[in-house]
Amino acid sequence: MENCIILRDCSGFIHLLPDEILRLEGDRNYTHVLLTDGRKLLFSKTIGYMLERMPEGTLMRISKSHAINPTYLRSVFLRRHQRYVYLTSGEKFEVSRRRAQEMRRRSKLQSPATHPIR
């Protein structure tokens, strides 16, 4: 359990593996952690605080209020005014302009087979 992520909520500590987290959704000073099994956990911390507590590379921030697990990234669509990511769960999220530049740089380092960019 060395890769285990430990988060504290009102009922105590929660131990999660990085592959269990699908995405984070920020809502002001709260963060919803959505898990692959469909559970939704609520923490009274900002999304930035939550990302600082995660191991490097576990989640990728795509906008002010969303971070995704790249393991569940199905495809990326980055055009001038249309920037989206699609998850294996079927969800579609908009990528901010600044984060799109970062994703383009990352995609050049990765092979096209892992994350196709159209």
Side-chain angles (χ1 to χ4, degrees):
M1 281 212 145
E2 58 190 55
N3 289 343
C4 189
I5 298 167
I6 301 170
L7 301 172
R8 184 176 185 174
D9 70 351
C10 61
S11 63
F13 291 97
I14 297 174
H15 300 267
L16 298 171
L17 294 172
D19 286 343
E20 289 181 288
I21 300 172
L22 178 64
R23 63 185 179 91
L24 301 182
E25 185 177 324
D27 183 16
R28 296 186 193 117
N29 289 333
Y30 295 91
T31 300
H32 297 275
V33 178
L34 289 94
L35 305 177
T36 56
D37 63 4
R39 289 185 295 159
K40 188 174 185 179
L41 307 172
L42 178 65
F43 294 92
S44 60
K45 302 290 181 190
T46 64
I47 193 170
Y49 178 88
M50 298 292 280
L51 288 170
E52 288 173 3
R53 301 310 180 259
M54 304 278 173
E56 183 70 31
T58 303
L59 296 172
M60 177 177 22
R61 189 124 185 213
I62 60 168
S63 67
K64 182 179 177 180
S65 59
H66 287 95
I68 60 169
N69 188 335
T71 305
Y72 302 106
L73 184 62
R74 186 178 65 190
S75 64
V76 178
F77 182 80
L78 300 174
R79 292 275 162 80
R80 187 177 179 122
H81 296 291
Q82 297 176 335
R83 301 170 302 274
Y84 300 101
V85 293
Y86 296 90
L87 300 181
T88 56
S89 64
E91 296 171 297
K92 172 184 171 183
F93 296 99
E94 189 170 352
V95 178
S96 70
R97 193 173 48 239
R98 191 177 89 198
R99 304 291 178 181
Q101 292 173 352
E102 180 182 322
M103 291 182 79
R104 281 188 188 99
R105 274 187 256 118
R106 268 190 182 182
S107 67
K108 290 178 183 178
L109 301 174
Q110 296 175 349
S111 68
T114 55
H115 299 293
I117 295 182
R118 294 182 266 163

